[in-house]
Amino acid sequence: MDLLADQFIQFNPQRGTMEGAKVVERRLSDLRGYFVDEAAYEAALAQEDSLVYTVSSVMPAEGESQLHYGLGMIMPGRIGAEYYLTKGHFHAWRPAAELYIGLRGEGVMLLEDEATGESKLVPLIPNSAVYVPGFTAHRTINTGKVPLTYLGVYPAQAGHDYGLIAERNFRKVVLAVDGKPTLRDRVL
Ligand SMILES: [Fe+2]
């Protein structure tokens, strides 16, 4: 059954889990510096080191022409006016694109073109796909009231580069303004 195990995996879009996948958990304490409102961040963390998101990754094979994929789940929540988010990254191999498929909940993807700095906000909702081109930083954000779950499929060689975003973050932030997700310049 080894062949089947490599080629067939069941996931639960409600729970955000995937059979046999390696799971990474990110809590508030892992996200210091990522939210624009630092005082709100420290206050929230003092209350509870809440789970913000998990990523379950499947890497069936390595090498050119292979694919890796993952199931992401972001909890609903906010730090100040800013919605719970993933750290966001470029691919280490910059030309690598990625396809995101919404499974549950209501969210957005924040995309930022590395060359032009141009930002885009794209809906991430069930029964829809978001194509993330190469050379583009991407962050996933839960703007809804239930966990946001989605699949991401990417070239096995893509790799993850978190360094640049950790250093300077995205140029834009997504804030709840009158209860609606709104793209704003990052003001520090
Ligand atoms: Fe990615």
Side-chain angles (χ1 to χ4, degrees), residues 74-98:
I74 310 178
M75 303 310 287
R78 279 182 0 203
I79 296 297
E82 191 173 18
Y83 300 99
Y84 273 12
L85 46 72
T86 61
K87 290 184 175 183
H89 59 268
F90 286 97
H91 291 145
W93 181 39
R94 285 293 195 276
E98 181 161 1

Side-chain angles (χ1 to χ4, degrees), residues 110-128:
L110 176 59
L111 308 182
E112 187 177 299
D113 184 293
E114 186 171 29
T116 65
E118 189 195 347
S119 300
K120 271 186 196 157
L121 206 53
V122 185
L124 183 62
I125 51 177
N127 306 321
S128 71

Side-chain angles (χ1 to χ4, degrees), residues 1 5 8 14 20 27 29 42 44 51 57-59 69 72 75 98-99 105 119 121-122 124 127 132 138 147 183:
M1 293 299 277
F8 179 79
Q14 298 301 313
R27 296 184 170 272
S29 57
E42 295 300 342
L51 178 68
S57 300
V58 185
M59 291 160 272
Y69 60 101
M75 303 310 287
E98 181 161 1
L99 187 72
S119 300
L121 206 53
V122 185
L124 183 62
N127 306 321
V132 179
H138 41 291
L183 193 62

Side-chain angles (χ1 to χ4, degrees), residues 22 31 62 66 119 121 130 154 163 165:
K22 185 180 128 249
L31 295 168
E62 298 299 333
Q66 303 296 334
S119 300
L121 206 53
V130 178
Y154 50 97
I165 293 302

